[in-house]
Amino acid sequence: MNDVEKQVSLIHETANRLIKWGAHSKAWGIQIQQPKLCYWNRLREVAASLAFPLVLDHMGLFKAASMAPAGSTPVTQQAEWQDFMGALRDGNLWIKISAPYRNSRAAPHFEDLYDIVTQLVRARPDRVVWGSDWPHTQRHEDRRPENIGKQEPFLVVDNQSWIVSLSTWLSEDEWQALWVENPRKLYDYYS
């Protein structure tokens, strides 16, 4: 079984468990991380088939220029990006705009995330939510085997600069949706 099929199996197992518990589909979601664009052709089918929203954390962990390998094609220009965007446009995939330091090293404003964020928001402004990712734990790639079992320090992130920067990329309606309307829909507030 390859990695994507393991993830598909876990998603289905989780969905089945929620159904057995009598979970109401609007009050629950399944949150995943999946940075491999090549998996979205398969995950698109899975997202569309679920009775629950599938929430992709940290903007998919898709790397912006400051974190991508040197000379690599920007993620938004890779062919597989369209599979991912198709999954988003289908409507059962939600994106969490969170933890910019997991996608970019261009702190504090993370300007190189502009194309990723704006394409996500413009594709489905009703399917993006903001997340703080607080407390800010270490980046996955910065964790060292010799530190396993030791307490790791939290990252210092200038949240205010990031939020102000993000606010300049979005229209007033997109901003309102990101912070108020979409979380209300996803997490079924006031039902």
Side-chain angles (χ1 to χ4, degrees):
M1 184 182 299
N2 67 29
D3 288 345
V4 71
E5 291 307 321
K6 286 179 185 175
Q7 188 167 37
V8 167
S9 178
L10 287 170
I11 291 168
H12 285 303
E13 287 173 23
T14 302
N16 290 337
R17 188 173 303 128
L18 293 174
I19 290 167
K20 284 181 189 175
W21 291 344
H24 183 268
S25 64
K26 283 189 166 187
W28 289 84
I30 299 172
Q31 184 166 304
I32 66 168
Q33 290 186 18
Q34 184 44 259
K36 294 184 180 181
L37 277 178
C38 62
Y39 287 177
W40 279 98
N41 185 34
R42 175 73 172 108
L43 290 172
R44 181 179 183 178
E45 301 167 24
V46 174
S49 72
L50 291 174
F52 303 94
L54 186 63
V55 182
L56 183 63
D57 207 8
H58 309 322
M59 298 170 276
L61 297 174
F62 301 133
K63 304 302 182 202
S66 63
M67 207 177 253
S72 63
T73 302
V75 69
T76 58
Q77 295 175 21
Q78 294 176 24
E80 295 92 349
W81 179 254
Q82 292 312 312
D83 291 327
F84 170 69
M85 294 301 281
L88 180 57
R89 286 186 190 102
D90 290 346
N92 201 39
L93 178 65
W94 291 72
I95 307 298
K96 194 176 282 184
I97 306 294
S98 62
Y101 49 89
R102 298 195 185 286
N103 310 67
S104 167
R105 292 197 185 274
H109 302 286
F110 303 102
E111 298 91 349
D112 60 346
L113 284 172
Y114 176 85
D115 285 342
I116 293 171
V117 169
T118 57
Q119 285 191 37
L120 296 174
V121 171
R122 306 276 149 66
R124 281 305 295 255
D126 61 334
R127 291 294 183 265
V128 292
V129 294
W130 182 82
S132 70
D133 199 48
W134 185 89
H136 305 299
T137 57
Q138 294 290 314
R139 294 175 188 93
H140 302 276
E141 62 271 15
D142 292 341
R143 293 178 175 152
R144 301 284 176 249
E146 63 269 15
N147 293 331
I148 290 176
K150 295 179 184 174
Q151 184 176 8
E152 67 179 37
F154 293 117
L155 295 175
V156 176
V157 176
D158 185 346
N159 291 305
Q160 182 176 356
S161 291
W162 158 236
I163 292 169
V164 168
S165 182
L166 179 62
S167 75
T168 66
W169 304 347
L170 306 178
S171 71
E172 190 172 318
D173 288 343
E174 291 165 341
W175 191 249
Q176 177 74 12
L178 177 76
W179 286 84
V180 179
E181 295 161 18
N182 296 346
R184 183 180 297 153
K185 282 187 275 188
L186 177 61
Y187 300 113
D188 199 28
Y189 298 154
Y190 315 114
S191 60

